[in-house]
Amino acid sequence: GDPNAVIGVAPEDWWPPLEDSVVAVLSPDVFTLRTERTFRVTYQAPEGIEWERLKKFKKEVLIGTPDLPWIAEALATLDDSLSYQVPGIVEAEDVWARNQSVIMVLVDDEGDVPSQVFGMMDEVHAMLDQQFREGVVERMFVSGTRTELADSLSETAGFTLFLPEVYQWSVDDSVYIFRNDNPDPSELIRQFTVTWRRPIPPDPPIDSLLDWKEAVSREYFAYPQAVNREDLQTRNLSMGNMEITEVRGAWTNPPGSSWPAAGPFILWSVVCPQQDRLYLLDAWLYAPGKDKWEYILQLETILGSFRCGSAARIQAQAGT
């Protein structure tokens, strides 16, 4: 199954009163280009041919009592020294397939089953979310990390950004572009632009940052981008001595473009007082017809590796 696919399993007569609340907690909405579910939760009764297929998916959430055969089978794979409580949560690995995670939500059927289940769903979601985020980073860097590029950027440009090996890069003036358009740019593009202004201007408004993004795209992108200035999400962040303004929204190619396209973006303006620079980091995604949450997490991870000034050199030398 896909990394964001979760198979929910419970006795068939238990599921109707559980479904809405369980799905809502396990699969909260996230805004990418549009609102989408973080996980795709599919219910399966633990019987029949379809169960034999779906029980091999990588993410399983089993709800039931310890003596139910399909839960007892999963519990039997645990080390004998491990104990569990009822109600409680237990995780097992490689139960019916390799690299599989099975989370068991154990309940006492002599008590109020829905209240027991609902009381544990936040923890189950946290477990799924952590596993998914770790998997995103692992899959993203499976090709390796461009540490030599990070070293070079620190020495020549004054900033670092840690990227997977599959990213290509170019520089024109002080505009650095890092791009991954594998397997095909018509299917998937992840791109980062880093540039700066000096001296640091006084608190540029959001519209000014968006104007900057659009101006860079007109001059340095093969296809310019226009920003949808409605439904923007903004927040302020701090990393070390860097003050960051973040803007999230959607970009489109302008009307009449020979290649109509759209996607989400994450824009950072970063104040770096050591260099008297205001950086602009523009991370954007093109992934038509695909779930975008995993790719958004990739953008967030790479943005989070950004350092400037002396911190850039220290990070590059440490290789972290």
Side-chain angles (χ1 to χ4, degrees):
D2 293 334
N4 65 335
V6 177
I7 307 302
V9 185
E12 197 164 5
D13 58 336
W14 286 19
W15 187 244
L18 298 177
E19 180 175 10
D20 289 345
S21 295
V22 167
V23 172
V25 175
L26 294 188
S27 182
D29 289 340
V30 62
F31 181 81
T32 56
L33 184 59
R34 59 188 179 279
T35 299
E36 65 181 58
R37 291 287 195 179
T38 51
F39 293 104
R40 288 185 279 110
V41 180
T42 300
Y43 169 71
Q44 176 59 45
E47 57 188 23
I49 296 175
E50 195 64 10
W51 165 238
E52 291 302 316
R53 182 179 73 88
L54 293 182
K55 74 179 184 181
K56 296 177 183 177
F57 273 50
K58 294 188 181 300
K59 301 291 183 186
E60 304 272 337
V61 176
L62 313 183
I63 301 172
T65 59
D67 59 346
L68 288 170
W70 37 280
I71 289 187
E73 187 176 352
L75 288 172
T77 66
L78 298 174
D79 189 290
D80 290 340
S81 64
L82 295 177
S83 60
Y84 56 85
Q85 295 180 333
V86 179
I89 298 171
V90 182
E91 183 178 10
E93 298 180 352
D94 303 337
V95 175
W96 295 293
R98 294 179 61 185
N99 301 317
Q100 182 184 54
S101 170
V102 175
I103 299 174
M104 290 166 274
V105 180
L106 304 179
V107 299
D108 180 356
D109 59 358
E110 294 185 0
D112 184 349
V113 168
S115 66
Q116 293 175 68
V117 172
F118 301 154
M120 292 183 277
M121 281 301 102
D122 284 339
E123 183 178 350
V124 173
H125 172 260
M127 296 168 68
L128 291 172
D129 185 72
Q130 180 180 350
Q131 292 171 2
F132 185 80
R133 290 173 184 271
E134 291 172 352
V136 167
V137 174
E138 182 179 346
R139 289 187 292 274
M140 181 171 59
F141 287 103
V142 70
S143 62
T145 306
R146 299 200 65 169
T147 53
E148 291 184 1
L149 174 60
D151 293 341
S152 174
L153 290 172
S154 174
E155 293 293 334
T156 62
F159 70 87
T160 59
L161 203 65
F162 281 85
L163 295 142
E165 284 283 359
V166 293
Y167 274 75
Q168 302 301 311
W169 73 285
S170 63
V171 58
D172 191 348
D173 299 326
S174 60
V175 177
Y176 289 76
I177 294 177
F178 309 92
R179 181 181 174 101
N180 177 6
D181 54 16
N182 293 299
D184 186 286
S186 66
E187 299 177 10
L188 182 61
I189 302 172
R190 287 147 288 182
Q191 181 166 308
F192 296 81
T193 304
V194 181
T195 189
W196 60 84
R197 289 174 176 167
R198 59 185 308 179
I200 297 172
D203 295 330
I206 298 300
D207 277 343
S208 176
L209 298 176
L210 298 176
D211 290 343
W212 189 3
K213 167 183 167 59
E214 290 181 337
V216 169
S217 78
R218 287 193 298 270
E219 187 167 355
Y220 297 98
F221 293 5
Y223 296 90
Q225 295 181 354
V227 175
N228 179 355
R229 304 204 180 197
E230 298 180 0
D231 300 321
L232 296 172
Q233 299 177 357
T234 64
R235 62 175 179 165
N236 295 318
L237 307 169
S238 294
M239 290 198 319
N241 65 345
M242 298 187 305
E243 297 298 323
I244 302 166
T245 298
E246 179 183 275
V247 185
R248 297 186 185 225
W251 62 269
T252 62
N253 289 150
S257 172
S258 60
W259 183 38
F265 70 85
I266 306 174
L267 193 72
W268 276 15
S269 71
V270 183
V271 176
C272 191
Q274 297 163 290
Q275 299 169 310
D276 195 23
R277 288 179 178 179
L278 177 68
Y279 282 91
L280 186 78
L281 281 69
D282 179 18
W284 58 269
L285 169 68
Y286 176 66
K290 292 181 171 65
D291 292 337
K292 296 174 178 58
W293 183 43
E294 173 161 6
Y295 302 121
I296 291 293
L297 293 179
Q298 291 183 9
L299 300 185
E300 291 177 355
T301 299
I302 293 174
L303 283 173
S305 73
F306 176 82
R307 298 293 185 274
C308 64
S310 59
R313 184 165 299 179
I314 291 169
Q315 187 187 34
Q317 290 172 346
T320 59

